[in-house]
């Protein structure tokens, strides 16, 4: 695939990093020569220096035979213009980053008019991700598959967890779980656990189950925490706005604290159900006064990574049940992982994986498509494939299929029902199959069978 | 510094050189001169060293930064040249190892300066190896490796930048491996074209091969004592002159023509300047030497060949231009320094650097008159960044500095006068080959002492790699741990 990425900001650079690993031909376009040079030195890509809506520049980037143009500069108008121009000049697919709520309202309506194949809003995606986590507070991270019929949760094994020291097989026998161990991260290494794998303290496990299965699991392993009923949001930016909207729709009580008065006014106009507070979210007196310790969850969404980390640590000390921290620089996320902050999200990694998935879907055109791709870790992915009419291994029990090493069939969703696969399970048309793998660039279900 | 990655890449280069040594063995078997074992011995050693390195020393991360890029490039060239000298030395055809090293460096750096009194005494396989090393070195041995390594992690850009010529090195397509492959494909096709033209003119196949690869790399090792002059054929001279001229053009031009972007080709100031320089100097010299030959046509023939061979830094000769009038010699001397286009196989200071320097100087002078004027220097219609201009100025300083120091060093022994020594340094450093007087087209470098030969060899390497990789190799900070 030939890709042109316009804008080498935080998101653009992350996209280059992720997509160059997938072996695509990438051209990065940005006005800033220094940034372009840095990227060209780091990754095996070509750089073009100039504006994204400049016809000469796009021509130089050879837009006429590009499969994708991804516009992710900080300016929505420029991104849309760039995509329109690129389509006119012959690019096959265009993706634009559009994040202004005003534009976003009309986006689905305008998508066809503008001939965009995909548009993405990092703030919105991040907000949705946070909302998911808030509905399973015991998890660090939540990913839903097959339209919510299957859920993959990321849980950290803390001290006193009854599973510590037991093998996966014993745990299944003892707790009668309706869930499947998908992956375990230990010391930054990933294992796809077999039956004899022993769970230790500090492991981060990934479990796949139905929504009920997860609740059941967290009750039995005493990690259960109730779905957040009141949420305190620090910082009133775009993510906060989208998150508040989402939470209000789920009947959650929302408080937002924001420094800028004009912004507060706008928020209170747009979100009449939420309590908008004008004040400094990093001031602990303000936080105490507004009862930070009384709410179920705190989400820190200010523009400063450091502020978010500090406020989150304060919230943890106040024994808030669930704390979610947003950091823009993913390196900070790694640096604070020892401080006890478990749900640290970075919008750019979230959005990068959805763009990567979209590109891979198009790349596997004609063949069985991927419904979903979720990066558990740098080296492990969870994928959802539909079983189509042309799939050649229907009706054969799993134990008779020769499934390749490094692949785990992680669950099957049939008629919105989550099935834990056993040796006798068969694939049927219309099934959605979840697969966990350490291999890269998998885009077909048949590929996993030898 | 990531030592493992350096060793691993060097291992791959040694393996490549071992494979390339198959070609002279084939030539030898064809001619039945039983010199093949002189290549088989170093080849065996290379295989014995390189394969374990590649298999056993797998670096954990393939990350390379600017420092690794410079070190890999400089070390690779030194090692490849040393290994390339072994067949000459153990066969006894060039008994002294220093001489053999000089000859080998001269080959890989596409200089074409020789220490051989009698070239014709060499066996066919040795003659082929000498010329073939021009072809390998012309486009760059590391670029070849980049074309072969399947999926590089980041950092390969630093190698391309360190090995390719010119102030602004860029990829032509986004994948390094395809960039390298496209460059080599253009290179190979042009070489083949040159070969076909020569054979069409009834040049013996072996001669045509040697001259085609020598022309492609803009090297200049002849296989006769009187070089191309041996044939005394206008057709051969014109074919070779035209191809020397073509190999002095930026290879990006050929790629742009291939994908049909003629507008961008026309926009390139360097290309235009190259044409203008060649046409003007050819006419100037032709007029100046007219009295030596019968008629303008004859003098144009010699003048065009010499201009093409000098500006493309090849170094083939058809006549003893050392006997020409001073004006013609000075023009040739200036051409030696200018050299050809960036991104070609030729050496020299490069026309694009000349353009950058002169343009930025004009800008600066205008600023002296109007101190408040805001003015930018442009090349090919794009604004030149301050970094590019500064780097070019630094390059000029290093360039002059190396010439001065080398001149001083080779003058210690007292061989040759001012003109000989200066032209020897210029001809080696700019990868041309023949200079004037004692190192002129009918003479050679054998009179220099071993010490001066080493100095000149390092000059050739520094000139081919455009100074900085070699300079940094000998800088202690490069090797410091932190």
């Amino acid at each position: 695939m030939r890709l042109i990425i316009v804008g080498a900001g935080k998101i653009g650079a992350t996209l280059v990093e992720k997509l160059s690993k997938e072996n695509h031909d990438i051209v990065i376009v940005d006005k800033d020569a220094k940034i372009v040079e840095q990227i060209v030195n780091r990754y095996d890509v070509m750089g073009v220096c100039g504006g994204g809506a400049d016809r000469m520049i796009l021509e130089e980037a050879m837009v006429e035979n590009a499969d994708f143009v991804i516009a992710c500069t900080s300016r929505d108008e420029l991104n849309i213009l760039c995509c329109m121009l690129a389509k006119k000049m012959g690019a096959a697919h265009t993706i634009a980053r559009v994040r202004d709520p005003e534009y976003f309202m009309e986006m689905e309506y305008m998508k066809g008019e503008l001939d965009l194949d995909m548009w993405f809003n990092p703030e919105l995606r991040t907000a949705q991700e946070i909302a998911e986590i808030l509905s399973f507070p015991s998890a660090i991270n939540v990913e839903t598959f097959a339209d919510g019929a299957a859920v993959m949760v990321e849980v950290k094994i803390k001290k006193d967890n009854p599973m510590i020291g037991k093998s996966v097989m014993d745990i299944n026998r003892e707790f009668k779980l309706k869930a499947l161990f998908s992956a375990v991260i230990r010391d930054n290494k990933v294992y796809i656990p077999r039956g004899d794998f022993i769970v230790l303290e500090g492991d981060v496990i990934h479990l796949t189950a139905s929504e009920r299965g997860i609740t059941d699991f967290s009750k039995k392993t005493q990690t259960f925490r109730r779905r957040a009923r009141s949420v305190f949001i620090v910082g009133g930016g775009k993510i906060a706005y989208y998150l508040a909207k989402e939470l209000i729709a789920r009947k959650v009580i929302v408080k937002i604290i924001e420094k800028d008065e004009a912004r507060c006014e706008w928020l209170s106009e747009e979100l009449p159900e939420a309590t908008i507070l004008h004040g400094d979210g990093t001031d602990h007196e303000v936080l105490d006064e507004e009862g930070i310790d009384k709410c179920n969850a705190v989400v820190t969404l200010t523009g400063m990574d450091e502020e978010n980390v500090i406020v989150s640590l304060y919230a943890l000390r106040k024994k808030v049940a669930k704390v979610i921290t947003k950091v823009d620089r993913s390196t900070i996320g790694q640096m604070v992982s020892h401080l006890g902050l478990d749900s640290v999200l970075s919008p750019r990694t979230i959005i990068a994986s959805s763009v990567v998935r979209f590109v891979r879907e198009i790349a596997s055109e004609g063949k069985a498509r991927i419904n979903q791709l979720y990066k558990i870790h740098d080296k492990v992915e969870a994928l959802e494939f539909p079983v189509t009419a042309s799939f050649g291994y229907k009706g054969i029990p799993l134990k008779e299929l020769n499934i390749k090493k490094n692949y785990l069939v992680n669950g099957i969703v049939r008629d919105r029902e989550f099935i834990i696969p056993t040796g006798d399970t068969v694939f049927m048309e219309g099934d959605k199959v979840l697969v966990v793998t350490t291999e890269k660039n998998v885009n077909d279900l048949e590929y996993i069978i030898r | 510094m990531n030592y493992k990655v350096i060793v691993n890449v060097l291992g791959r280069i040694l393996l490549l050189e071992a494979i390339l040594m198959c070609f002279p063995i084939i030539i030898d078997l064809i001619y039945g001169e039983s010199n093949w074992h002189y290549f088989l011995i170093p080849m065996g050693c290379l295989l014995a060293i390189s394969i374990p390195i590649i298999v056993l020393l797998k670096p954990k991360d393939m990350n390379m930064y600017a420092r690794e890029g410079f070190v890999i490039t400089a070390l690779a060239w030194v090692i490849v040249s040393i290994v390339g000298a072994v067949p000459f030395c153990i066969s006894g055809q060039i008994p002294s190892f220093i001489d053999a090293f000089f000859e080998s460096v001269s080959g890989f750096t596409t200089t074409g300066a020789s220490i051989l009194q009698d070239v014709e005494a060499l066996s066919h396989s040795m003659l082929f190896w000498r010329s073939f090393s021009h072809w390998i070195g012309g486009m760059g041995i590391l670029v070849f490796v980049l074309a072969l390594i399947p999926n590089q992690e980041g950092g390969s850009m630093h190698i391309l930048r360190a090995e390719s010529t010119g102030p602004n090195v860029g990829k032509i397509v986004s994948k390094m491996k395809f960039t390298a492959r496209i460059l080599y494909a253009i290179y190979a096709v042009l070489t083949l074209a040159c070969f076909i033209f020569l054979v069409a003119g009834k040049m013996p196949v072996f001669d045509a091969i040697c001259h085609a690869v020598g022309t492609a790399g803009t090297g200049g090792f002849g296989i006769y004592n009187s070089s191309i002059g041996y044939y005394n054929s206008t057709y051969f001279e014109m074919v070779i002159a035209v191809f020397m001229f073509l190999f002095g053009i930026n290879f990006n031009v050929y790629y742009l023509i291939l994908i049909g972007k003629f507008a961008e080709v026309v926009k390139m100031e360097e290309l235009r300047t190259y044409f203008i320089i060649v046409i003007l100097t050819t006419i100037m010299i032709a007029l100046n030497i007219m009295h030596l030959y019968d008629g303008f046509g004859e003098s144009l023939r010699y003048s065009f060949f010499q201009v093409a061979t000098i500006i493309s830094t090849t170094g083939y000769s058809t006549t003893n231009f050392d006997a020409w009038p001073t004006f013609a010699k000075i023009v040739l001397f200036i051409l030696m320094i200018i050299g050809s286009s960036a991104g070609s196989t030729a050496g020299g200071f490069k026309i694009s650097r000349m353009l950058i320097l002169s343009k930025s100087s004009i800008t600066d002078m205008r600023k002296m008159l109007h101190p408040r004027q805001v003015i930018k220097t442009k090349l090919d219609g794009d604004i030149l960044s301050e970094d590019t201009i500064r780097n070019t100025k630094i390059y000029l300083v290093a360039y002059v500095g190396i010439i001065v120091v080398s001149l001083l060093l080779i003058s210690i022994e007292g061989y040759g006068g001012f003109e000989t020594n200066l032209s020897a340094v210029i001809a080696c450093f700019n990868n041309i080959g023949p200079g004037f007087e004692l190192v002129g087209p009918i003479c050679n470098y054998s009179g220099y002492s071993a010490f001066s030969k080493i100095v000149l060899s390092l000059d050739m390497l520094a000139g081919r790699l455009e100074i900085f990789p070699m300079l940094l190799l000998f800088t202690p900070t490069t090797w410091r741990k932190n």
Side-chain angles (χ1 to χ4, degrees):
Chain A
M1 290 266 127
R2 292 202 60 254
L3 302 150
I4 298 174
I5 298 175
V6 179
K10 283 181 265 181
I11 292 189
T14 314
L15 281 175
V16 170
E17 186 198 329
K18 302 270 188 250
L19 289 166
S20 69
K21 278 188 190 145
E22 307 236 323
N23 217 358
H24 295 296
D25 255 332
I26 300 171
V27 181
I28 178 93
V29 178
D30 197 284
K31 270 199 171 137
D32 189 335
K34 284 229 163 66
I35 292 180
V36 171
E37 191 173 324
Q38 270 172 24
I39 289 183
V40 170
N41 283 343
R42 266 280 284 285
Y43 308 104
D44 193 7
V45 300
M46 192 160 90
V48 173
C49 194
D54 184 338
R55 208 163 60 85
M56 299 293 282
I57 297 295
L58 287 177
E59 208 161 85
E60 199 179 329
M62 285 181 282
V63 72
E64 68 273 13
N65 49 24
D67 296 300
F68 275 98
V69 172
I70 306 171
C72 48
T73 69
S74 52
R75 289 168 54 202
D76 293 349
E77 301 83 356
L78 178 66
N79 292 339
I80 294 172
L81 192 60
C82 167
C83 284
M84 287 173 70
L85 195 60
K87 250 293 160 51
K88 270 236 142 63
M89 293 174 71
H93 305 276
T94 51
I95 303 178
R97 171 194 190 186
V98 180
R99 52 181 193 163
D100 190 319
E102 280 175 39
Y103 297 164
F104 145 74
M105 302 291 182
E106 315 305 332
M107 240 15 237
E108 279 305 321
Y109 167 68
M110 293 290 285
K111 204 170 118 178
E113 287 297 304
L114 297 173
D115 214 2
L116 282 174
D117 293 278
M118 179 194 176
W119 59 276
F120 63 89
N121 183 337
E123 283 79 11
L124 179 64
R125 272 293 293 144
T126 311
Q128 287 167 342
E129 193 88 12
I130 294 172
E132 289 288 322
I133 297 174
L134 287 173
S135 50
F136 294 97
S138 47
I140 301 173
N141 215 332
V142 180
E143 185 74 17
T144 55
F145 290 91
D147 303 321
V151 185
M152 181 182 278
V153 294
E154 187 180 341
V155 182
K156 188 162 187 170
I157 304 294
K158 296 193 176 135
K159 215 164 56 186
D160 308 327
N161 191 305
M163 293 194 291
I164 291 172
K166 289 173 188 152
S167 73
V168 170
M169 221 190 306
D170 291 341
I171 293 168
N172 279 333
R173 206 172 298 139
E174 195 179 324
F175 298 105
K176 300 213 168 38
L177 290 183
K178 289 190 192 68
L180 200 83
F181 282 74
S182 311
V184 178
I185 301 177
R186 180 181 294 168
D187 300 329
N188 211 23
K189 275 198 195 116
V190 201
Y191 305 89
I192 294 182
R194 290 158 178 274
D196 54 355
F197 189 90
I198 292 172
V199 176
L200 297 178
E201 187 189 333
D203 284 354
V204 174
I205 60 171
H206 289 256
L207 276 179
T208 312
S210 63
E211 211 166 301
R212 234 179 315 125
I214 295 290
T215 317
D216 176 58
F217 160 82
S218 43
K219 275 184 183 150
K220 280 178 178 156
T221 56
Q222 292 153 26
T223 53
F224 180 71
R225 271 183 259 159
R226 206 186 287 263
R227 159 193 288 265
R229 289 264 136 238
S230 68
V231 176
F232 200 111
I233 302 173
V234 180
K238 291 195 187 79
I239 303 179
Y241 165 75
Y242 292 127
L243 176 62
K245 268 192 96 154
E246 184 78 35
L247 292 176
I248 288 164
R250 297 183 187 195
K251 308 259 180 299
V252 177
I253 302 161
V254 179
K255 264 185 195 176
I256 302 177
I257 185 160
E258 163 62 39
K259 248 194 287 195
D260 183 57
E261 198 170 354
R263 181 77 190 167
C264 284
E265 274 169 20
W266 184 85
L267 283 171
S268 80
E269 265 172 46
E270 294 291 318
L271 302 164
E273 296 93 335
T275 314
I276 312 294
L277 305 165
H278 174 219
D280 184 355
T282 52
D283 185 344
H284 68 92
E285 277 181 21
V286 176
L287 294 174
D288 287 346
E289 191 185 329
E290 294 304 334
I292 189 173
D293 48 342
K294 308 262 180 351
C295 61
N296 301 136
V298 169
V299 185
T300 54
L301 299 172
T302 73
M304 301 272 289
D305 291 351
E306 295 82 353
E307 279 184 6
N308 290 341
V309 169
I310 288 167
V311 174
S312 299
L313 288 173
Y314 184 71
L316 273 188
R317 221 185 64 198
K318 285 280 167 183
K319 304 249 167 3
V320 175
K322 183 70 194 174
V323 179
I324 298 174
T325 319
K326 181 210 77 165
V327 294
D328 285 319
R329 281 167 289 169
S330 46
T331 43
I332 291 214
Q334 284 159 20
M335 274 147 77
V336 298
S337 62
H338 301 291
L339 296 176
L341 299 177
D342 42 30
S343 290
V344 180
L345 301 181
S346 129
R348 52 165 151 169
T349 15
I350 292 170
I351 207 67
S353 57
S354 64
V355 173
V356 167
R357 182 178 77 219
F358 186 74
V359 170
R360 208 185 283 183
E361 269 178 34
I362 301 282
S364 63
E365 231 167 346
K367 285 181 254 165
R369 288 192 171 188
I370 311 171
N371 286 346
Q372 192 155 354
L373 166 109
Y374 170 60
K375 270 191 179 322
I376 294 179
H377 184 263
D378 243 6
K379 295 198 177 68
V380 181
E381 290 172 351
L383 303 142
E384 179 193 318
F385 296 102
V387 176
T388 54
S390 62
F391 181 69
Y393 301 96
K394 279 178 298 223
I396 305 170
L398 275 183
K399 61 184 173 200
E400 285 168 31
L401 286 175
N402 211 345
I403 290 177
K404 284 185 193 160
K405 236 174 87 182
N406 302 334
Y407 291 92
L408 173 72
V409 176
N410 196 31
I412 296 170
V413 174
R414 186 172 298 155
D415 304 326
R416 299 200 51 78
E417 198 64 42
F418 181 75
I419 301 165
I420 295 177
T422 62
D424 299 317
T425 316
V426 294
F427 291 134
M428 276 161 47
E429 194 180 331
D431 284 0
K432 286 164 183 155
V433 181
L434 308 187
V435 175
V436 173
T437 177
T438 51
E439 301 290 316
K440 283 215 166 119
N441 302 322
V442 185
N443 45 32
D444 191 359
L445 184 58
E446 286 193 22
Y447 187 79
I448 74 163
I449 295 156
R450 218 186 302 256
Chain B
M1 190 135 64
N2 193 342
Y3 288 100
K4 279 195 174 161
V5 97
I6 294 177
V7 173
N8 187 283
V9 176
L10 290 179
R12 287 167 197 257
I13 287 161
L14 291 180
L15 179 65
L16 179 68
E17 195 173 11
I19 295 165
L20 293 174
M21 279 191 175
C22 295
F23 293 99
I25 292 178
I26 295 168
I27 297 279
D28 192 75
L29 293 175
I30 292 170
Y31 283 91
E33 288 167 322
S34 63
N35 276 328
W36 50 270
H37 51 282
Y38 301 129
F39 291 97
L40 201 62
I41 294 166
M43 194 173 140
C45 296
L46 284 180
L47 290 177
I49 296 166
S50 61
I51 291 174
I53 286 178
I54 298 167
V55 176
L56 297 177
L57 261 177
K58 280 234 170 76
K60 261 186 247 125
D61 60 317
M62 281 297 274
N63 279 334
M64 283 180 270
Y65 301 98
R67 203 152 60 147
E68 282 83 3
F70 282 128
V71 170
I72 288 175
T73 311
L75 277 181
W77 278 77
V78 172
I79 293 172
V80 163
S81 304
I82 290 174
V83 175
V86 172
F88 298 129
C89 191
I90 57 175
S91 67
Q93 300 188 12
I94 303 175
S96 147
F97 186 76
I98 297 293
D99 283 356
F101 178 65
F102 184 92
E103 199 76 8
S104 168
V105 169
S106 175
F108 283 107
T109 60
T110 74
T111 306
S114 178
I115 44 76
L116 287 169
Q117 307 273 12
D118 185 11
V119 178
E120 288 160 36
L122 287 186
S123 66
H124 282 90
S125 53
M126 294 295 162
L127 282 176
F128 172 76
W129 181 238
R130 246 166 48 111
S131 296
F132 190 52
S133 61
H134 284 326
W135 199 80
I136 304 166
M139 189 50 86
I141 191 155
L142 284 152
V143 176
F144 201 95
V145 173
L146 288 179
L148 299 178
I149 298 179
N151 283 323
Q152 292 114 355
E153 300 269 320
S156 50
M157 194 59 208
H158 293 296
I159 290 186
L160 186 78
R161 200 173 287 144
E163 199 181 39
S164 301
T165 56
N168 265 327
V169 175
K171 287 189 270 192
I172 51 181
V173 292
S174 56
K175 285 265 171 217
M176 178 61 76
K177 104 184 134 173
F178 295 122
T179 298
R181 283 178 193 173
I182 290 171
L183 287 176
Y184 257 95
I186 294 171
Y187 189 44
V189 167
L190 279 175
T191 312
L192 190 67
C194 181
F195 169 76
I196 290 169
F197 272 105
L198 290 177
V199 171
K202 303 235 160 33
M203 186 185 272
V205 173
F206 177 77
D207 297 20
I209 292 175
C210 287
H211 285 130
V213 293
T215 307
T218 66
F221 272 146
I223 53 171
Y224 298 104
N225 287 333
S226 49
S227 192
I228 308 295
Y230 170 86
Y231 302 101
N232 194 19
S233 146
T234 316
Y235 174 76
F236 290 156
E237 283 171 25
M238 286 306 117
V239 167
I240 289 176
V242 166
F243 273 96
M244 288 192 292
F245 175 75
L246 291 179
F247 282 107
I249 292 174
N250 192 336
F251 275 51
N252 289 2
V253 169
Y254 299 119
Y255 180 69
L256 288 175
I257 291 174
L258 272 181
I259 59 171
K261 294 200 169 170
F262 300 104
E264 285 191 37
V265 174
V266 176
K267 216 173 70 177
M268 290 177 91
E269 289 179 46
E270 186 181 31
L271 187 66
R272 258 183 285 156
T273 318
Y274 182 55
F275 271 91
I276 293 169
I277 292 176
V278 170
I279 293 168
L280 276 184
T281 51
T282 305
I283 294 170
M284 274 154 62
I285 292 176
L287 291 173
N288 189 243
I289 60 170
M290 210 155 81
H291 62 280
L292 295 175
Y293 303 94
D294 44 330
F296 186 67
E298 195 75 345
S299 83
L300 200 62
R301 163 187 165 191
Y302 286 108
S303 138
F304 176 56
F305 190 89
Q306 291 318 314
V307 166
T309 190
I310 296 293
I311 198 168
S312 69
T313 74
T314 308
Y316 283 134
S317 55
T318 50
T319 180
N320 182 12
F321 57 77
D322 194 36
W324 283 0
T326 312
F327 176 75
K329 278 169 74 177
I330 294 292
V331 171
L332 288 180
F333 182 74
I334 293 167
L335 289 182
M336 281 185 183
I337 293 174
I338 295 176
S340 288
S341 317
S344 68
T345 60
F349 189 73
K350 300 279 154 13
I351 293 167
S352 56
R353 285 206 179 86
M354 289 282 179
L355 284 172
I356 292 171
L357 283 182
S358 47
K359 285 187 160 205
S360 72
S361 304
I362 292 169
T363 312
D364 286 349
M365 275 189 265
R366 278 171 71 178
K367 271 191 186 158
M368 283 177 197
L369 290 177
H370 306 280
R372 279 170 219 283
Q373 190 180 10
V374 178
I375 181 170
K376 292 277 178 197
T377 320
K378 281 188 176 178
L379 186 72
D380 299 344
D382 296 327
I383 293 171
L384 283 170
S385 74
E386 287 303 314
D387 279 350
T388 312
I389 296 173
R390 194 177 338 108
N391 288 341
T392 313
K393 287 177 179 164
I394 294 168
Y395 188 81
L396 176 69
V397 172
Y399 183 86
V400 175
I402 286 189
I403 291 175
V404 170
V405 172
S406 317
L407 187 58
L408 196 68
L409 290 176
I410 68 162
S411 299
I412 295 172
E413 60 176 279
Y415 173 81
F418 180 69
E419 201 180 328
T420 305
N421 283 356
L422 180 63
S423 69
V425 170
I426 296 284
C428 285
F429 187 41
N430 292 308
N431 301 142
I432 293 149
F436 298 114
E437 291 201 335
L438 292 177
V439 293
I442 52 165
C443 308
N444 57 58
Y445 287 76
S446 57
Y448 279 110
S449 70
F451 172 72
S452 296
K453 279 175 190 158
I454 290 174
V455 171
L456 291 173
S457 303
L458 291 177
D459 277 350
M460 290 189 258
L461 284 169
R464 171 61 184 83
L465 300 180
E466 304 214 308
I467 304 176
F468 294 112
M470 284 309 281
L471 219 51
L472 294 173
L473 187 65
F474 295 108
T475 311
T477 36
T478 312
W479 299 96
R480 212 168 282 161
K481 277 245 156 65
N482 40 23

